[in-house]
Amino acid sequence: MAGYVLAIDQGTTSTRAIVFDGEMRIAGAGQKEFTQIYPQSGWVEHDPEEIWGSVVSTIKMAIREAKISAKDIAAIGITNQRETVVVWERESGKPIHNAIVWQDRRTASYCDKLKKQDLEKTFTKKTGLLLDPYFSGTKLSWMLANVKGARARAAKGELCFGTIDTFLIWRLTGGKSFVTDATNASRTLMYNIAENEWDKDLLEILRVPSAMLPEVKDCAADFGVTEPDIFGAAIPILGVAGDQHAATIGQACFEPGMMKSTYGTGCFAVLNTGADMVRSKNRLLTTIAYRLDGETTYALEGSIFIAGAAVQWLRDGLGIIDSASKTGELADAADPSQEVYLVPAFTGLGAPHWDANARGAIFGLTRNSGPKEFARAALEAVCYQSRDLLDAMHKDWKGGVDETVLRVDGGMVASDWTMQRLADILDAPVDRPVILETTALGAAWLAGSRAGVWPDKAAFAKNWKRNNRFEPAMDEKTRAAKLKGWRSAVKRTLSEG
């Protein structure tokens, strides 16, 4: 069997498809952006049909660039934006509403209502998550309540719920496979991560019929086979993981204490805690890192909603840069005497604050503040938020995390300036890998190892290679002063601050 593996990386703003060869090198790729829909302030939606179209077209691009045919592909691995909700008709496969995106905040008042009923402890104990609009469950509940006839149809088994992975597998297999994996399920507010099953009590609270939920599998499993007429051959789907879990795998963070952080639209830091399901006392998330061969590995996760999206805002919202890649150069040329802080709470603040009602703010502006200072503030905001997550992780888990080196990936890590500033603010080494497509690589490894054409976990971990290590170079006095300014800015931004 050919050693080619196809990874589908369905992200928040674009879809990528990458063909890897038997040596885990990129042989071909395709990428396509899709529409971001904002029906109201704080609401974010995607058109599932547009996402599906982008997946099919990018896969064809990648296969064409790799100069192979579909029959040369041994397996497909899927990784996806998590928590984004799709509901579709079981009979026709047609979505009943736009997908509600993980960034969407429309269920903030519903989450507050559940908190006032003292239900957050129940959700946290069972799922490891907090009651926040970020997660899938309240989005699904909103859709059932607000799309005409949806709840009754769901109760009759006429509707299917899925995160993006489930929807894509359904479409790729012609409706034959209605499945998800443990990592995506663990982000729904409906999945008991200790028992590894959908939780009846939580479904009852959210008024979600169990008939509309997919079967949950390991991350490397038989998820179905693509319809031959889509790509010209039937290809088995053998790996699935939510994007941050796939990145953790792609970074070979298989041992407890290993940590990765992905800097894309948002920023997500994941600390492997092994078989130990650590209960956070600092408002981090306890989540399933991955599940292989029936064995669950857990993690602590900190989620930052706005990272690269702040740079997009500078480009598309303010128009002060014409290319995201120039942000590091601008930041480097900023006036060192100015301390401008951007708290990018455009869609609320994630960990460790979890303030859905906070909104973005800029502090420290002077008459001389300009694009350079704004660029530096946007990049530094990512570094400061990462430090907040790292501090919380240190408090929660004492398993040697103080010595952890951070492995990084995502679009922002191409900037040397940003990675050096990250090491400076964290006061910890930052390792950038040779292969930056770690999310796609993780999904590909799940599928390729399952197909028997890629190495096992131990051999895969040995193949991980570092491109560069950034060591902290900032003096402690400067670091402390900058962090003090950041914490003051955040305090003034919180909705109850």
Side-chain angles (χ1 to χ4, degrees):
M1 184 182 283
Y4 290 100
V5 177
L6 170 67
I8 300 169
D9 183 357
Q10 204 299 296
T12 307
T13 58
S14 70
T15 297
R16 303 199 71 193
I18 299 177
V19 173
F20 292 90
D21 66 16
E23 302 298 313
M24 295 184 282
R25 297 172 302 209
I26 294 175
Q31 181 167 356
K32 190 171 185 179
E33 291 191 1
F34 54 88
T35 310
Q36 306 296 304
I37 303 165
Y38 305 103
Q40 294 183 31
S41 177
W43 293 28
V44 191
E45 296 179 357
H46 293 155
D47 178 355
E49 296 292 357
E50 188 181 3
I51 287 178
W52 167 244
S54 72
V55 168
V56 173
S57 63
T58 54
I59 289 174
K60 290 178 177 178
M61 285 182 220
I63 290 173
R64 191 162 54 245
E65 187 176 286
K67 295 182 171 60
I68 61 171
S69 69
K71 67 178 185 297
D72 298 315
I73 299 170
I76 291 175
I78 298 175
T79 183
N80 56 287
Q81 51 166 316
R82 302 173 303 172
E83 297 99 13
T84 296
V85 169
V86 188
V87 176
W88 64 95
E89 295 174 345
R90 191 180 293 270
E91 189 67 32
S92 69
K94 181 182 176 183
I96 67 166
H97 190 276
N98 277 338
I100 301 179
V101 181
W102 59 271
Q103 298 162 314
D104 189 282
R105 313 305 286 170
R106 77 185 64 186
T107 62
S109 60
Y110 181 40
C111 290
D112 289 341
K113 179 183 172 184
L114 294 173
K115 287 177 190 174
K116 285 172 184 170
Q117 294 171 8
D118 202 28
L119 288 168
E120 185 164 57
K121 290 177 185 175
T122 301
F123 278 93
T124 300
K125 183 180 179 182
K126 291 170 178 284
T127 70
L129 309 177
L130 299 167
L131 276 173
D132 188 88
Y134 172 35
F135 304 109
S136 310
T138 59
K139 294 177 170 64
L140 172 56
S141 190
W142 183 95
M143 212 181 281
L144 292 176
N146 288 275
V147 176
K148 188 176 179 181
R151 198 180 298 281
R153 295 186 69 193
K156 292 177 187 173
E158 294 176 11
L159 300 180
C160 297
F161 153 80
T163 42
I164 295 294
D165 59 303
T166 303
F167 177 66
L168 294 181
I169 294 168
W170 177 277
R171 284 290 179 90
L172 288 165
T173 63
K176 294 184 179 70
S177 290
F178 184 36
V179 292
T180 189
D181 86 293
T183 67
N184 277 293
S186 77
R187 311 295 294 191
T188 61
L189 276 176
M190 300 181 289
Y191 192 73
N192 190 313
I193 63 172
E195 304 295 332
N196 265 290
E197 62 185 20
W198 298 114
D199 193 282
K200 292 178 182 177
D201 295 338
L202 301 181
L203 294 179
E204 191 174 322
I205 293 168
L206 294 169
R207 298 184 65 199
V208 171
S210 59
M212 68 185 307
L213 302 178
E215 178 189 353
V216 182
K217 291 177 171 275
D218 286 355
C219 298
D222 297 324
F223 291 93
V225 179
T226 65
E227 288 287 281
D229 60 350
I230 302 177
F231 304 115
I235 311 169
I237 304 166
L238 299 180
V240 176
D243 51 11
Q244 305 314 318
H245 314 267
T248 303
I249 293 164
Q251 289 278 35
C253 291
F254 294 128
E255 299 299 322
M258 296 186 77
M259 182 178 175
K260 76 89 200 174
S261 193
T262 298
Y263 296 94
T265 303
C267 161
F268 303 88
V270 177
L271 171 71
N272 185 326
T273 61
D276 188 8
M277 191 166 63
V278 176
R279 300 291 187 180
S280 177
K281 294 180 175 65
N282 294 280
R283 295 182 69 74
L284 296 174
L285 307 176
T286 306
T287 197
I288 292 175
Y290 48 83
R291 196 174 86 195
L292 298 172
D293 299 321
E295 289 190 13
T296 303
T297 296
Y298 294 97
L300 281 172
E301 180 179 320
S303 308
I304 296 168
F305 299 148
I306 301 292
V311 177
Q312 289 177 322
W313 173 68
L314 295 181
R315 184 192 67 191
D316 303 334
L318 298 185
I320 62 175
I321 58 170
D322 56 15
S323 169
S325 61
K326 294 180 180 176
T327 317
E329 293 173 33
L330 274 177
D332 192 40
D335 180 358
S337 68
Q338 292 189 52
E339 282 297 346
V340 177
Y341 292 95
L342 167 65
V343 183
F346 302 146
T347 56
L349 282 173
H353 310 288
W354 293 106
D355 186 343
N357 298 312
R359 287 297 176 263
I362 300 175
F363 298 94
L365 293 179
T366 71
R367 180 66 182 81
N368 293 327
S369 300
K372 295 172 184 177
E373 288 70 37
F374 272 68
R376 186 183 64 191
L379 296 181
E380 285 189 330
V382 176
C383 304
Y384 292 134
Q385 290 178 101
S386 298
R387 175 61 186 254
D388 289 345
L389 297 182
L390 193 65
D391 287 348
M393 287 177 172
H394 284 180
K395 291 173 186 172
D396 274 337
W397 195 67
K398 306 298 182 185
V401 70
D402 288 333
E403 290 75 50
T404 294
V405 175
L406 183 66
R407 290 185 173 182
V408 296
D409 55 79
M412 294 188 79
V413 307
S415 165
D416 286 359
W417 189 93
T418 307
M419 292 303 97
Q420 182 57 54
R421 186 53 55 99
L422 179 63
D424 289 341
I425 297 299
L426 294 181
D427 193 21
V430 171
D431 278 358
R432 182 171 64 196
V434 170
I435 297 179
L436 291 178
E437 300 289 352
T438 51
T439 305
L441 181 64
W445 177 76
L446 288 169
S449 61
R450 176 81 178 177
V453 297
W454 275 23
D456 64 12
K457 192 162 69 170
F460 178 70
K462 284 183 180 177
N463 279 335
W464 187 92
K465 290 183 177 62
R466 185 173 69 205
N467 162 266
N468 202 353
R469 169 167 284 188
F470 298 87
E471 297 277 3
M474 184 179 284
D475 65 89
E476 183 53 40
K477 184 179 178 182
T478 302
R479 182 186 302 111
K482 291 175 84 67
L483 285 168
K484 183 180 179 182
W486 165 253
R487 285 161 188 158
S488 172
V490 170
K491 187 177 180 182
R492 287 182 281 172
T493 306
L494 295 171
S495 62
E496 295 179 4

